[in-house]
Amino acid sequence: MEDKNFLRNVTLFAEFSPEELSALRRSMIVSRYGPGDTILEEGNANRALHLLKSGRIRVSRRVEAREVPLCDLVEGQTFGELSIIEDGVASASLRAVADSEILSMPMQALATFLREHPNAAANFWRAIAVELRRRLLQTNDVVRSYFEINRALIENPTFREAYAMCNR
């Protein structure tokens, strides 16, 4: 019962009926990770939708030889949406920052669930689109800030010196 109530508060599943939530929960696998544990590695296969039930996860990408943190996920956030839409490959690395519990739904089980519950499917795909739109807008803001920093580095020698001192 606890998981079903938790699922009701997750954006992707907010419009699901109690029966749909029960069916969804039956298809999920529980995994636990400790701080520093790798959950997914960028470029590796990811054939599931994941939901962070508790804890904190750091999302990062490799840029040249460096691991660049993108964001932290907290309770109720999902990941793996892009892999269920496209090719099943993780677009980022995820590591537990704190003890974390994750509910995962393998792609095949998700596809079966969505076929068997067409109303839930419509609500699910709409919620996915809204979430991906939110993330795209957030990414646009990050790109805009990098553009502003780049322009300041090029045009302002004082800023360039201060920036270099802070990033040694």
Side-chain angles (χ1 to χ4, degrees), residues 36-108:
D37 288 350
T38 298
I39 298 161
L40 285 173
E41 193 68 46
E42 178 182 350
N44 289 351
N46 174 41
R47 306 238 187 284
L49 175 68
H50 308 278
L51 167 63
L52 182 57
K53 185 174 180 198
S54 65
R56 188 175 205 82
I57 295 172
R58 175 133 319 129
V59 180
S60 63
R61 293 220 39 190
R62 280 186 298 262
V63 176
E64 295 177 6
R66 269 181 61 197
E67 203 60 31
V68 178
L70 301 176
C71 68
D72 282 4
L73 301 178
V74 295
E75 180 180 305
Q77 290 187 292
T78 56
F79 56 97
E81 298 89 349
L82 291 179
S83 68
I84 64 170
I85 293 170
E86 203 170 19
D87 59 6
V89 174
S91 60
S93 295
L94 291 95
R95 287 182 183 68
V97 175
D99 287 331
S100 300
E101 184 175 357
I102 296 171
L103 301 175
S104 300
M105 186 168 208
M107 273 199 263
Q108 189 170 352

Side-chain angles (χ1 to χ4, degrees), residues 132-147:
L132 293 178
R133 177 187 181 275
R134 184 192 66 74
R135 290 182 189 178
L136 179 61
L137 292 173
Q138 191 175 33
T139 300
N140 287 346
D141 289 342
V142 170
V143 169
R144 188 176 301 110
S145 69
Y146 280 129
F147 178 78

